[in-house]
Amino acid sequence: MSKLVIYSHGKDSIPWGEKPSALAEVTKRLGFEFISPDYQASNDPDWRVQQLLAQNVSGYETLVLVGSSMGAYVSTVAAEIIKPKGLFLIAPAFYLPGYARTEFQPTTANIEVFHGWRDDVVPPENAWRFCREHRARLHMLDADHRLLSILPMMVTAFERFLGDCAA
């Protein structure tokens, strides 16, 4: 059975920073492939959605989308078409000015969100709103937007989440 995780990085991030590198280790242990497209050519979130949708995901029985900040927006919008087994979202950039979408229809009920109380980029209320509307699991923690201070906890949760998606 072929399994794939696609990680979408944030606006000012890189494809292989600390978060995707830590999550990639988990995916390999659990038998998933892991890709992290490079979106640095444009800060337009909807251009990034098109780049994600252009990925060839045929042939994968299990697909999980992971995104951080703008990448979480990208993953969630793309999920409407890609139909992943799960969405793992980190400080999702929802309901912000300049983003075309303010309503989301993810095709999976398996959604887990990590957000920081001290996030000064995306208000914590935005994550709460999304999670309430989609009955997603929400981890609201004492962290800033990057969430690196709670990375070990997030990695542990991701391992459980991915195991659930593979079952």
Side-chain angles (χ1 to χ4, degrees):
M1 177 163 90
S2 56
K3 304 177 285 188
L4 175 66
V5 170
I6 302 176
Y7 178 91
S8 293
H9 65 82
K11 178 180 170 186
D12 297 322
S13 297
I14 57 174
W16 288 99
E18 291 176 69
K19 284 179 279 196
S21 295
L23 298 177
E25 288 181 29
V26 171
T27 63
K28 290 173 186 162
R29 255 195 333 269
L30 295 180
F32 281 75
E33 290 180 52
F34 186 93
I35 62 172
S36 184
D38 188 346
Y39 300 115
Q40 295 176 91
S42 175
N43 281 336
D44 178 346
D46 297 302
W47 178 87
R48 291 180 178 203
V49 170
Q50 293 309 311
Q51 298 306 301
L52 177 52
L53 291 174
Q55 297 289 320
N56 182 3
V57 297
S58 64
Y60 290 98
E61 292 182 43
T62 303
L63 176 67
V64 174
L65 298 179
V66 180
S68 180
S69 193
M70 182 185 282
Y73 170 93
V74 169
S75 295
T76 303
V77 173
E80 296 176 17
I81 295 169
I82 293 177
K83 299 180 178 22
K85 286 274 270 202
L87 275 172
F88 194 86
L89 309 174
I90 304 163
F94 294 145
Y95 318 114
L96 296 178
Y99 287 67
R101 301 287 297 277
T102 58
E103 293 185 23
F104 304 95
Q105 300 298 323
T107 55
T108 180
N110 191 14
I111 304 170
E112 193 151 346
V113 177
F114 275 79
H115 207 95
W117 283 116
R118 293 182 284 116
D119 191 327
D120 60 356
V121 177
V122 181
E125 296 80 17
N126 295 16
W128 171 257
R129 174 181 167 189
F130 175 85
C131 290
R132 185 185 67 232
E133 289 174 8
H134 299 283
R135 292 186 169 85
R137 285 181 300 281
L138 174 62
H139 304 267
M140 192 68 73
L141 302 159
D142 185 21
D144 62 12
H145 183 67
R146 296 188 66 215
L147 294 164
L148 293 177
S149 65
I150 57 94
L151 186 57
M153 180 189 310
M154 192 171 12
V155 167
T156 299
F158 181 65
E159 186 164 7
R160 180 201 40 77
F161 178 83
L162 212 50
D164 291 347
C165 289

